[in-house]
Amino acid sequence: MTQQLLPNADGSGRVVATEVLVPNAAIRNLIREGKTHQIYSVLQTGSSSGMQTMDASLASLVRAGKISQKLAEARSSTPMSCAA
């Protein structure tokens, strides 16, 4: 799990954005085989296992009006993926 504590859009407090990687069989196999470059794609498609990318979390917070899109883009590794 990775997290970022971000200021609310209205400045009244903070909200958390999280990235969650569940070490399921697919992830363990990729690590064992040295294919760590493929982990992010499994992370992106693993929502049914409880996985979530940071970009998905940031986008969700923007859609909910909790943070600004400008802040999400600044904190994202791929800014265009945080568009609401």
Side-chain angles (χ1 to χ4, degrees):
M1 174 178 265
T2 301
Q3 57 187 3
Q4 297 183 52
L5 197 56
L6 307 168
N8 280 358
D10 63 7
S12 66
R14 298 188 178 272
V15 293
V16 67
T18 58
E19 179 169 271
V20 180
L21 175 69
V22 177
N24 62 18
I27 296 294
R28 289 192 300 268
N29 188 49
L30 289 173
I31 293 169
R32 230 182 347 264
E33 292 182 6
K35 298 179 180 178
T36 55
H37 61 281
Q38 295 177 2
I39 290 176
Y40 193 75
S41 64
V42 174
L43 178 61
Q44 288 176 306
T45 59
S47 62
S48 63
S49 301
M51 294 191 216
Q52 174 178 269
T53 65
M54 182 61 69
D55 289 345
S57 180
L58 291 167
S60 177
L61 290 169
V62 169
R63 283 192 298 275
K66 304 253 182 195
I67 63 172
S68 69
Q69 185 168 341
K70 182 178 179 180
L71 176 61
E73 289 175 352
R75 296 297 182 97
S76 172
S77 59
T78 54
M80 294 305 293
S81 68
C82 289

